[in-house]
Amino acid sequence: MSIVKLSMRLVTSALLRAAPAALALGAVVLAWEAYALFSGISPTTLPAPSRVVTQAWEHRLALLDNMLPTLAATTIGFVYSLLAAFAFSVLVDFIPPIRRGLFPVLIVSQTLPLVAIAPLVVLWFGFGLGPKIGLVALVAFFPMLVALVQGYAATDRDIEALLASMGAGRLRVFLLARLPSSLPYFFAGIRISITYAVVGAIFAEYAGAAKGLGIYILNAKNNFRPDLVLAAVLVSSALTLMLFGIVVLVQRLVMPWDRLERRSP
Amino acid sequence: MTGYRLQLRNLRKRFGDLDVLGDISLTVRRGEFVSLLGPSGAGKSTLFKILTGATEADAGTIHFDGQPLATRPSPFAFMPQHDALMPWRRVLDNTTLGLEVQGLARAAARKRVQPLFAEFGLAGFEKHYPAQLSGGMRQRAALLRTVVQQREMLLFDEPFGALDALTRASMQRWLQAMWQQHSWTALLITHDVREAVFLSDRIYVLRGRPARMLTEIAVPLPRPRIDLTSPEASAIEARLLDTLLNQSPD
Ligand SMILES: Nc1ncnc2c1ncn2[C@@H]1O[C@H](COP(=O)(O)OP(=O)(O)O)[C@@H](O)[C@H]1O
Ligand SMILES: [Mg+2]
């Protein structure tokens, strides 16, 4: 099956499944539009959805220009994070004491409020892309690590016993059984992480950046343009959905057996 | 030389406070099909774990062809309880697993396995995933994965336990035919009296917690065995059931 055909099928089935949610969302948007139109509320307080969309279109070049750095920080940070999570998971799997030493530290790293560390990181490392990548990697790391470690542990004991009877060593067992067993868990972790990553990038930019959706939102707010704030939110949502969709597509390609498993009794 | 392929003497195994194997001795001759019959939880799988090296016995000796087991490469091809097929591998790649672990290149391993697919009733399913197979086919794939390793002896741990009665009966017939053709040496674990009588040359009966040998019964029925309606077969079955029911404490 070609990737194009597969993505088309995925999109169609996603749209069908999303129909009730889309209807509910549509109702909210309509009510909002009506309220903004008839209540006489000022557009600098609550802009109508139609205004958000037309303004988004009018400022499309600026929005695109600010979306690209966010996309870059998100994807680069996410990739680093994924590589680090995988490396640590392997370490933890082969040397269990590391888990006891490392996990408490990592859990503490997850409790740091982004609102507080983002400005500090910008203060220490500047306005460039580097610190943003670092922040994204920090927020995206943990869900993937936990998912991987959990996935290794979920390996079928019978399969491990079988491999042992065949004479497979620890590394073989990891590559042939533990790693593939962890894939469904890993992808579940990736789905969480990729959404965290976008939020992390926007937060990092909000704390200081030359360009990016985060700083765009901040400027629009300071200029009393809630319509442009919402336009940027729209763009970031679309970005998240797109990245999420790519993850789902990759999962389908990497794990073609997964759907068969779930379909069979 | 003892003349035995496999000889276990006075094996014991505890898991903490749980005394699993009391004192197990048994033998299997070349070309013999031997069953180990016992209730669930008796410690049958644990015995196989000791043989395949997944765990160690606390006491006792294991010899294969007269040599201590530890001094030689493993002679066993093991088929675990449940088929243990890897859901992420296609059927063909599941069946080559043992050969790959032995170091054979994937292409060479496939070449060796492919011709056997027809005999195992799996022709045309090479590229399928295990989830696309019926229960009987999964079991045959697991069996194929076991025998292509070309080890000296086969260990089956309740291979048909998860199958429906009809599939199970047909798999037992099929296994008997395969065994006669290939003159395998096999040790089968089961808690099914009929299965043991149908397939075995000899049957060891285990009592559980801790596992001890109750009796050893020869099954001198002619092969191929079509069904077990003869008076001799019924007598053996009755004797096995009697032993199991009268001796288990619960
Ligand atoms: N690794 C282990 N640690 C502790 N107890 C175990 C372990 N493996 C098996 N047991 C226990 O040993 C007993 C025998 O198990 P098993 O050999 O699987 O029985 P069977 O295959 O005859 O049904 C069971 O009570 C089981 O809970
Ligand atoms: Mg068992």
Side-chain angles (χ1 to χ4, degrees), chain B residues 39-46 81-82 157-158 189 191:
Chain B
S40 278
K44 305 181 298 294
S45 294
T46 302
Q81 213 170 340
H82 319 294
D157 192 349
E158 302 190 21
I189 285 178
H191 56 237

Side-chain angles (χ1 to χ4, degrees), chain A residues 182-194:
Chain A
S182 76
L183 282 178
Y185 294 81
F186 190 28
F187 274 102
I190 288 179
R191 289 180 189 203
I192 296 172
S193 282
I194 197 78

Side-chain angles (χ1 to χ4, degrees), chain A residues 6-7 9-11 13-14 17 78 187-188 190-192 194 240-256 258-259 262:
Chain A
L6 178 58
S7 4
R9 271 234 321 260
L10 282 179
V11 168
S13 73
R17 258 177 293 135
F78 174 77
F187 274 102
I190 288 179
R191 289 180 189 203
I192 296 172
I194 197 78
T240 308
L241 278 177
M242 182 195 75
L243 292 172
F244 196 88
I246 291 174
V247 171
V248 173
L249 182 65
V250 170
Q251 179 172 11
R252 286 282 174 95
L253 290 171
V254 173
M255 306 175 48
D258 191 40
R259 274 173 354 133
R262 269 180 280 140

Side-chain angles (χ1 to χ4, degrees), chain A residues 49-71:
Chain A
S50 57
R51 183 180 163 83
V52 172
V53 172
T54 50
Q55 286 303 306
W57 180 248
E58 207 157 287
H59 291 82
R60 61 188 181 278
L61 289 180
L63 281 168
L64 180 69
D65 197 33
N66 284 282
M67 190 268 284
L68 291 177
T70 308
L71 179 62

Side-chain angles (χ1 to χ4, degrees), chain A residues 155-156 158-159 161-168 172 176-178 180-181 256-257 260-261 264, chain B residues 52 74 76 78 80-82 84-89 97-98 100-101 129 131-132 145 149 151:
Chain A
T155 309
D156 183 348
D158 271 348
I159 290 181
L162 173 72
L163 283 169
S165 82
M166 291 170 168
R172 270 290 176 77
L176 288 172
R178 295 180 78 81
S181 300
W257 69 87
L260 302 171
E261 284 285 301
S264 70
Chain B
T52 57
S74 171
F76 304 116
F78 169 52
Q81 213 170 340
H82 319 294
L85 293 173
M86 295 178 167
W88 54 87
R89 283 186 160 225
L97 188 65
E100 274 179 57
V101 172
Y129 285 101
Q132 295 168 295
R145 178 190 62 198
Q149 298 175 52
R151 299 273 175 93

